[in-house]
Each structure stands twice: as structure tokens, then as C-alpha cells.
């Protein structure tokens, strides 16, 4: 753009802005901004409450000490002061962390639990603020940490929650990797921990295996290593199988024996496809004692199993009753 064109545009803009109507608008804007500035200055001179987030750090922890439950990472500090001061806190430099020195609290402490007084923390926070600033409140209002100096043990990982399958499937098993974890805690807490539960899970209408990463449910004052495990929910499809099992008598006196009609009973049941070949007639035991038969007062015995093989359900007998003679 040459100088002639620039002067042309400059003159057009100048005439537009300094025209009668636009000139009045510019004067209005000027007084508006002056009023806003006076209002802002007056507001900043008043007293307000604001919440500041102040970092909290635990330091000087010896190498042989494990912190099993740490302090919170931040403090929420409600402060009161004039707006001009609060603006500096909000938009100025980042808050300097409040430092808690482990050595100040480990003086023959055998409980493994340390409570940090709010008064100590408040003094540390106040030291970072201007003298005119007043602390109204501190949150959390309870500060503590747990430490460990060697007490540990292994505990098994356990399921917590609900696992439900579709009607034609059943829960075969739930596997965890690893299946046990190490727990570190003060002795008084460690003695109460016998299992490590995952955070509760809720599965419904499962029709396929499910694999997921699960966090372990926290225990106050304890630390799990690792703190998460892989959970593998394994399901299987139901099928039906029938086996034939003889009815046997036990505890019969010499010279007496059981005669059952029929002598064998068909047992039908549901089982997972994966275990179909594993469960046979040898896994079922239909036994009845001499004393039980004598006490019936009848020559009909209702068939029942004393114990079911693992993983079967919906058991049916054919026939359900057998005739017998002693």
C-alpha cells in the first residue's frame, strides 16, 4: 500500500470515528471504562473469603521406612483478606508446598501411626501468607500418615462384588494374577488382614469370559504390593449328562445285605462343556446305611446323594424311589 492509499484510508476511518454519532459513542465508552475501573478498585478494597489450594509434602523419610498411607497431596485453605491481596494469591506465583518433616515425628514411635496437628500445619501456611491475611479454615481437618519398618506378609486375593451369567452359562472360576499380594502395615493393623479384596465388581448376564484389571480395596494404614491384579472371569456353557450308579448299603450286620429294585439309578445333571468328560459315574456315590433303612418303616427308599461332585447342578434321579429288601 502506497502513502496516497494509506492517507485515504486513514482519513475515511478518522471521519467515521469522529462523526457526530460515533463521537458520542466513544465518549460513552470512555466514561464506561472509567466507571468500571473505579468500581473494580473499590471492590478490591473490600474484604473477601477465598479458598486456596496449598501443596502438602512429607519429606526426609528414611530409606528403611515405607509410608503405607500418605498425607493428602493438597490442603484446601480458606483465607480472608482484602481483594487486592487475594488477587496476588490467585493470579500470582504458585503456592509454596507446606513441608512436613518425618524426623519431627519419628521419636520412638512404635505404633506406626502419626497424627500431624493442625496447629503445626496452620503455622507453616501462615508463614507463607501476608500478615494481614487470616486463615478461616483448613481441610482436611485430620492429618495423619502410617509407616512401616519391616512388618509384612502375603495374603490371597479375593473376589468382591457380584458375577452373574446368562441362564445357559455358569461361573466356572475366577482367577487372579497374581493370586496373592504382599501387604505392609504396622503390626497392629497387619494382624487383622488375612485377605486382599478387589474393589467390588458387578457383572450380569455374562456369555463370554471377561478379563479386566482390578484395583485392590484400600485398607487404612496398609499398603498392598502390587495394588492391582488381573482378574479373569471364566464361564462355561451348560450341557446335560446322564450316568447310571448302583445303590449300595453300608453298616449292614453280618448275614444281612441290601437288595434294591432296580439296583441302579440313572442320575441326570447339568455340567459345563469343559468338564463333560471329566465327571463320570465313579464320582457319584449312592449309599444308604442299615440304620436308615430300618428306621423308615417302609420298603421304599427315596434316592439322595450325600455329596455332589464339584461343578454340577440341577440333579434328577430316575427312579426317585426304589424298592428294597434286607
Amino acid at each position: 500500500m502506497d502513502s496516497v492509499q494509506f492517507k485515504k484510508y486513514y482519513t475515511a476511518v478518522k471521519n467515521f470515528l469522529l462523526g457526530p454519532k460515533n463521537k458520542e459513542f466513544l465518549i460513552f465508552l470512555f466514561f464506561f471504562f472509567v466507571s468500571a475501573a473505579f468500581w473494580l478498585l473499590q471492590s478490591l478494597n473490600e474484604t473477601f473469603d477465598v479458598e486456596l489450594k496449598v501443596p502438602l509434602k512429607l519429606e526426609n523419610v528414611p530409606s528403611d521406612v515405607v509410608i503405607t498411607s500418605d498425607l493428602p497431596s493438597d490442603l484446601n485453605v480458606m483465607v480472608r483478606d482484602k481483594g487486592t491481596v487475594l488477587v496476588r494469591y490467585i493470579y500470582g506465583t504458585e503456592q509454596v508446598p507446606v513441608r512436613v518433616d518425618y524426623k519431627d515425628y519419628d521419636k520412638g514411635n512404635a505404633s506406626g501411626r502419626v497424627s500431624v496437628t493442625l496447629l503445626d500445619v496452620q503455622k507453616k501456611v501462615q508463614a507463607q501468607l501476608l500478615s494481614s491475611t487470616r486463615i478461616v479454615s483448613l481441610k482436611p481437618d485430620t492429618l495423619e500418615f502410617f509407616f512401616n519398618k519391616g512388618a509384612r506378609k502375603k495374603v490371597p486375593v479375593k473376589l468382591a462384588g457380584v458375577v452373574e451369567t446368562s441362564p445357559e452359562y455358569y461361573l466356572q472360576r475366577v482367577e487372579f494374577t497374581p493370586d496373592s499380594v504382599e501387604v505392609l502395615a504396622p503390626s497392629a493393623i497387619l494382624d487383622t488382614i488375612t485377605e486382599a479384596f478387589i474393589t467390588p465388581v458387578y457383572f450380569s448376564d455374562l456369555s463370554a469370559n471377561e478379563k479386566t484389571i482390578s484395583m485392590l480395596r484400600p485398607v487404612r494404614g496398609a499398603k498392598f504390593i502390587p495394588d492391582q491384579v488381573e482378574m479373569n472371569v471364566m464361564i462355561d456353557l451348560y450341557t446335560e449328562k446322564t450316568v447310571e450308579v448302583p445303590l449300595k448299603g453300608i453298616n449292614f450286620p453280618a448275614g444281612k445285605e441290601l437288595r434294591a429294585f432296580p439296583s441302579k439309578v440313572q442320575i441326570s445333571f447339568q455340567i459345563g462343556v469343559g468338564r463333560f468328560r471329566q465327571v463320570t459315574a465313579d464320582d457319584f456315590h449312592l449309599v444308604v446305611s442299615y440304620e436308615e433303612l430300618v428306621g423308615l418303616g417302609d420298603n421304599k427308599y427315596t434316592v439322595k446323594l450325600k455329596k455332589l461332585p464339584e461343578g454340577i447342578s440341577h440333579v434328577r434321579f430316575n427312579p426317585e424311589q426304589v424298592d428294597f429288601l434286607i
Side-chain angles (χ1 to χ4, degrees), residues 101-162:
D101 195 327
Y102 172 87
K103 295 179 181 178
D104 292 340
Y105 298 93
D106 183 23
K107 297 176 181 178
N109 189 329
S111 67
R113 176 180 178 271
V114 170
S115 292
V116 183
T117 65
L118 280 180
L119 182 60
D120 288 346
V121 177
Q122 186 168 333
K123 288 179 180 178
K124 293 176 183 291
V125 175
Q126 188 67 63
Q128 300 181 20
L129 305 175
L130 296 178
S131 58
S132 61
T133 306
R134 178 190 168 194
I135 296 177
V136 179
S137 66
L138 277 172
K139 292 181 181 179
D141 56 8
T142 301
L143 295 176
E144 63 181 6
F145 65 90
F146 292 80
F147 65 90
N148 174 277
K149 289 185 177 181
R152 62 182 66 198
K153 67 180 179 181
K154 271 200 167 186
V155 294
V157 178
K158 296 293 184 180
L159 174 70
V162 177

Side-chain angles (χ1 to χ4, degrees), residues 280-295:
T280 66
D282 294 336
D283 296 307
F284 295 86
H285 302 283
L286 288 177
V287 295
V288 58
S289 69
Y290 174 79
E291 294 81 8
E292 185 178 358
L293 291 178
V294 171

